Structures are given as structure tokens and as C-alpha cells.
Amino acid sequence: MAAVNFAIIGYGGMGSYHEKNLMFSEKEKINLVGVYDILEERQEVARAKGLSTYESFEEVLADERIEAVLIAVPNDLHKSMSIAALKAGKHVVCEKPATLNTEEFDEILAVAADTGNRFIVHQNRRWDPDFLIVRDLYQSQPIGSVFQIESRVNGANGIPGDWRHLKKHGGGMLLDWGIHLLDQMLWLVDSPIKDVQVDFSYVLGDEVDDGFISFITFENGIKAIVEVGTTNYVKLPRWYVKATEGTARIDDWDLSGEMVRAVQTSNEIMPQPIQAGVGLTKTMAPPSEDATETLSLPKASAEYDSFYSNVYHVIRDDATPIVKNTEVRNVLQLIEQMFEQEE
């Protein structure tokens, strides 16, 4: 079957990323027809790369060649542009967050149902190698049954860009990075949430959060810490996973880190007390070298299609989306719960 004809709406950082890194790698399935951006300099960049450009969003929607659009514009425009595209007979791939709340999201889904066109949200961090390693640790249990997962991204550059500083545009780090980490966590732990607590950071003086730390308890007993910081000059590990027989640490996206696993022995190997400040401790002493083994992190890869390969099969073959709209809605609902705690 022929490739799906796409147009990109918004040729900034994410729009150009889709063109260069995602659509380009799936040329047999995705055919990029053209680009529209409100800024002429971005249109010029697109033309310099040999891409066609449109003079308006309405011109894109009127082009009968276009079967689907990628919407990569400020968050507050996602709903109106997605609905317009769906009503014009186009399938929609939308950048995250799909909308600012579940009410807006439900409006889009209602239009998608009425028109029969597909609405798919780009939650690309489900393909991150570090996440895939943690997913393998959770499912395969090389260090035992996982009972606590800590997921963090730390930077020291403040809130990126311009509109992300403004509440009316859906700015702030919970909606910018938190939605990635929460999507990963809820997709990983297949259990309802029992409790969530969150503490937002506003130390940079913006009207939106510049970071947060959240504590999530799932009904199956697993606890999670999800944290985003933009004023961290010393980073914490990207992942810290505690299980019944060991601990794993992934330092960063370069996949540095390790697993330390308890060695099964017939006799208990007691740790030796260590000097701790002005006192001694056995409780906090490192385990005996004979009691543990240090292992490399496992290799992990996605057993599912790439994002755009899946989009192609959803549109052409009515396949099941890897990023389901019910899952997207669950994350948005959790974010709403978090925002309600600061009211």
C-alpha cells in the first residue's frame, strides 16, 4: 500500500524533529508533502530543504492530497487545530500534551468518532532505551520483584523556549516533561493509582511550575517518585529501581549505571560495622563483597513497532495504536489531580 501523505503544522523544534528523525526513517510508509508555520523564517528553512510550504493552515486542510497532519504547535492550540483537521477529513498525529485537560481531550475524541478519522498522540519516550531497560527489569525481574521506581530528569537551564513560560499556552514543566515521565510510569505499572502527592517548584519566578516532585502509590503496592527539575546543577540518577533481591541505577541517557544483586548463599553473610561520623553502624554499612554481585544493565529493545510504522498500520490496516487514547486520558487525568493539589 502507498505511504501516508502527511503535512507538518508547526516547523519549530518538534516539527523539524519529526521530519528529520522520525518521518525520514519511515519513508516507505510516510510521505511528507509539505509544511506550514506562521513564521516565514521557518517556512524558508523548510523550502531550503526542498520541502513544499503552505500559506495557511486552511490551505493545508483544503489540499486533497493530505491524508494526515502532524500538529506541533503550542499546547493551547492542539484542541482547535486537531478538531479542524479531523472535520476536514484528515487523520491527526498530535504532539504531547494532547490537550490542557481531559475535557478538551474528550471533545477531540468525540469529533474523531463522528468523522471516523484517527487521532494519535506522540508519546515518544516509550521508545527511550533507558525506559526499555527499566521495563525489562520490571517484567523479567533479574533483581527480584520491583517495589519502588524513581524516575527523574534534571537540568539547570530553567524553562525552555518562550511560550512554555506562560500558563495560557499550557506552559510549565509538569505539562512539558512530566507528561513524558508519567506516561512511562503508568504504561509500565499496570495498576490503578491509590494515592498521589505532588510538590511544585516556582523558584524561578514564572507563573508556571519550573519543576515538581511527585509521590505515587499504586494499588498493587508499587511506589514511584517522579521528579522534574530545571535548577539542578548536580544531577540525580535518571532511574533508581529497588527490588526484593537488588537495586539498579541508570545515571543518564547514555545508559551508564549498574545492577547490584544479592548472592544466594546457604549461610547469612553479615556486613562489618563501619565508622559513620562519630559513631559506628552495621545497618548502613555496605554489604559484604561475598554477599552481592555487580552486573551490567541488561540490553533492552522495543518488541513493538516504531511510532510512525505503527501510525501507518493504524491508518492503513486499522491496527491498534501503541499509544492508546485511553492511556493518554489517564495521564491527563493524573495531571489534573496534581494541579488540583495546589489550588
Side-chain angles (χ1 to χ4, degrees):
M1 285 184 284
V4 178
N5 287 336
F6 257 86
I8 291 177
I9 312 301
Y11 195 62
M14 283 310 302
S16 60
Y17 171 80
H18 279 262
E19 176 258 318
K20 289 183 293 186
N21 298 87
L22 301 179
M23 294 180 173
F24 180 82
S25 65
E26 299 287 353
K27 280 191 170 182
E28 293 183 357
K29 298 175 180 175
I30 304 297
N31 176 43
L32 180 57
V33 175
V35 168
Y36 169 65
D37 195 286
I38 61 172
L39 298 179
E40 177 57 30
E41 57 263 34
R42 291 180 182 166
Q43 299 270 81
E44 290 177 3
V45 171
R47 286 191 289 268
K49 297 185 70 172
L51 297 171
S52 299
T53 57
Y54 294 88
E55 294 303 313
S56 68
F57 180 50
E58 289 71 26
E59 185 180 353
V60 176
L61 300 187
D63 188 343
E64 294 182 357
R65 297 174 299 166
I66 301 301
E67 299 174 80
V69 296
L70 163 71
I71 294 178
V73 297
N75 299 337
D76 59 315
L77 299 175
H78 289 180
K79 185 191 89 165
S80 60
M81 297 186 88
S82 294
I83 288 175
L86 290 167
K87 287 183 175 179
K90 315 299 184 187
H91 303 288
V92 174
V93 172
C94 185
E95 261 303 322
K96 59 79 206 168
T99 57
L100 303 186
N101 52 59
T102 55
E103 182 179 353
E104 290 186 350
F105 189 68
D106 290 342
E107 289 181 51
I108 294 176
L109 295 190
V111 174
D114 287 343
T115 61
N117 295 307
R118 305 306 292 259
F119 179 77
I120 305 168
V121 181
H122 182 234
Q123 287 288 172
N124 57 309
R125 298 290 171 179
R126 295 188 183 189
W127 285 263
D128 278 0
D130 56 286
F131 170 68
L132 294 173
I133 290 172
V134 173
R135 189 168 177 262
D136 182 73
L137 295 175
Y138 183 79
Q139 294 178 344
S140 301
Q141 301 188 352
I143 52 175
S145 178
V146 171
F147 60 86
Q148 182 166 311
I149 307 169
E150 301 180 16
S151 170
R152 295 180 175 88
V153 291
N154 296 148
N157 301 306
I159 299 173
D162 44 16
W163 60 265
R164 288 181 174 84
H165 293 255
L166 302 174
K167 189 172 184 177
K168 68 179 182 179
H169 293 311
M173 297 312 296
L174 178 56
L175 283 171
D176 187 62
W177 257 104
I179 198 160
H180 280 309
L181 305 193
L182 294 171
D183 177 73
Q184 287 179 332
M185 195 65 69
L186 267 62
W187 199 50
L188 176 68
V189 183
D190 185 17
S191 174
I193 292 174
K194 180 180 179 181
D195 183 65
V196 60
Q197 301 295 322
V198 63
D199 182 34
F200 290 97
S201 168
Y202 291 90
V203 298
L204 296 178
D206 288 285
E207 64 178 5
V208 295
D209 67 286
D210 52 62
F212 68 92
I213 180 169
S214 61
F215 304 88
I216 302 170
T217 302
F218 293 91
E219 287 187 3
N220 65 1
I222 292 178
K223 296 181 183 295
I225 298 173
V226 177
E227 181 177 0
V228 174
T230 57
T231 53
N232 297 65
Y233 290 87
V234 178
K235 288 186 175 182
L236 293 164
R238 171 69 185 88
W239 295 94
Y240 189 78
V241 180
K242 297 169 69 175
T244 52
E245 298 168 20
T247 303
R249 187 193 77 249
I250 303 176
D251 294 321
D252 214 331
W253 288 293
D254 63 3
L255 308 185
S256 58
E258 63 181 359
M259 292 192 303
V260 177
R261 182 171 64 187
V263 174
Q264 300 299 318
T265 60
S266 56
N267 298 314
E268 185 177 11
I269 303 173
M270 297 300 295
Q272 296 299 310
I274 61 168
Q275 188 73 34
V278 296
L280 293 175
T281 179
K282 187 192 310 184
T283 305
M284 299 305 166
S288 164
E289 291 183 6
D290 296 327
T292 61
E293 57 182 348
T294 299
L295 305 171
S296 298
L297 294 166
K299 304 294 183 184
S301 59
E303 76 278 10
Y304 38 91
D305 276 350
S306 65
F307 178 77
Y308 273 107
S309 179
N310 179 240
V311 168
Y312 169 84
H313 289 296
V314 168
I315 292 173
R316 289 283 184 257
D317 307 321
D318 199 29
T320 300
I322 292 171
V323 182
K324 299 179 179 65
N325 285 324
T326 52
E327 298 164 348
V328 173
R329 192 183 192 282
N330 287 341
V331 176
L332 287 172
Q333 190 171 39
L334 175 58
I335 287 175
E336 285 180 331
Q337 288 180 256
M338 291 179 169
F339 278 135
E340 287 171 0
Q341 291 187 22
E342 67 171 355
E343 293 178 354

